[in-house]
Amino acid sequence: MGRARAHSRAQVGHLSRVDAATVKRWFESSADALHEQRDYLTQLDAAIGDADHGTNMDRGFSSVVAKLAELDPAVPPGKVLVTAGSTLVSTVGGASGPLWGTALRRAGRSLGDGETFDGAELAAALEAALDGVVELGAARPGDKTMVDALEPAVRTLKEQLNGAAAPADALAAARAAAEEGMRATVPMQATKGRASYLGERSIGHQDPGATSAVIILRALEDAVAAEQ
């Protein structure tokens, strides 16, 4: 780690604080991963949806990276998240744009105008993001949606941080919980969104929204781990 970066991040106990640059790297990593997994996500969506989830997420997060590159480096992380959310709403079709857009804008407002944030603030921001998704999509765990990955991730992250885990370790556990939630969508019958129209035929397929949520959470894990 360079001296400049080490100097730029204050320490709060054992919790490292991260900044807007970390958030931008998160979105860059997310965009790269979603681009790589675009066809896979589209295949998952073809089974129970409109076969456009991979394309939509790839386009949306690529647009986010381009938009964030235009921001003043002094813009705080909360504003970065709000900008990312607004960009997704305007560029992603279907349900993904409004859901992720709402999630990121809620997370950004949770962080406020602070120049850095720690593990507890990150957990609160992700909880606000989850609340936004639940409110907009009216989905709960078990409905075969992105909530099945996000809810256990947020719950695990809070539990880990309350147990004094470092943010990177807590995020690793949260990502693992999200993966377990993602896999658990396979035997579920969808009750929300396009997949719900299939009824029992939706059983046996992994939810694409939960899958892309895991990809994004893994990118967040990597971005924060790089700061430790």
Side-chain angles (χ1 to χ4, degrees):
M1 180 183 295
R3 292 182 62 188
R5 180 182 294 179
H7 179 72
S8 68
R9 293 189 292 110
Q11 297 290 324
V12 179
H14 67 285
L15 299 182
S16 297
R17 298 185 68 89
V18 292
D19 56 19
T22 310
V23 177
K24 291 179 181 178
R25 282 191 290 273
W26 171 28
F27 286 116
E28 290 167 358
S29 180
S30 294
D32 289 344
L34 288 166
H35 179 71
E36 292 175 0
Q37 298 297 320
R38 178 184 61 190
D39 292 344
Y40 174 58
L41 291 171
T42 294
Q43 290 170 6
L44 291 177
D45 196 35
I48 57 175
D50 294 325
D52 60 359
H53 186 67
T55 301
N56 284 342
M57 295 296 286
D58 180 24
R59 180 177 66 250
F61 275 76
S62 294
S63 298
V64 166
V65 170
K67 185 67 175 179
L68 296 186
E70 301 172 358
L71 291 181
D72 187 315
V75 169
K79 177 65 173 178
V80 173
L81 284 165
V82 171
T83 300
S86 297
T87 302
L88 287 177
V89 170
S90 64
T91 59
V92 179
S96 298
L99 288 171
W100 273 110
T102 296
L104 295 177
R105 287 188 292 193
R106 292 283 186 92
R109 288 198 290 269
S110 174
L111 290 178
D113 296 326
E115 294 182 359
T116 62
F117 59 93
D118 63 14
E121 291 165 322
L122 172 60
L126 292 181
E127 185 170 34
L130 173 62
D131 289 344
V133 170
V134 169
E135 181 180 320
L136 181 62
R140 296 291 189 275
D143 287 337
K144 201 182 182 88
T145 71
M146 62 192 289
V147 172
D148 289 297
L150 290 178
E151 192 278 335
V154 171
R155 173 165 35 85
T156 300
L157 180 63
K158 291 173 60 180
E159 291 171 353
Q160 290 284 313
L161 291 173
N162 287 338
D169 294 335
L171 279 168
R175 182 262 308 152
E179 290 177 342
E180 184 176 350
M182 172 192 73
R183 291 189 292 268
T185 65
V186 175
M188 293 177 183
Q189 178 174 327
T191 60
K192 299 291 181 183
R194 177 75 178 222
S196 66
Y197 301 160
L198 298 177
E200 292 184 356
R201 286 181 294 161
S202 65
I203 297 173
H205 300 282
Q206 185 168 295
D207 182 67
T211 306
S212 60
V214 167
I215 291 172
I216 293 166
L217 288 171
R218 185 180 299 121
L220 175 59
E221 175 193 357
D222 292 342
V224 172
E227 295 294 325
Q228 306 305 299

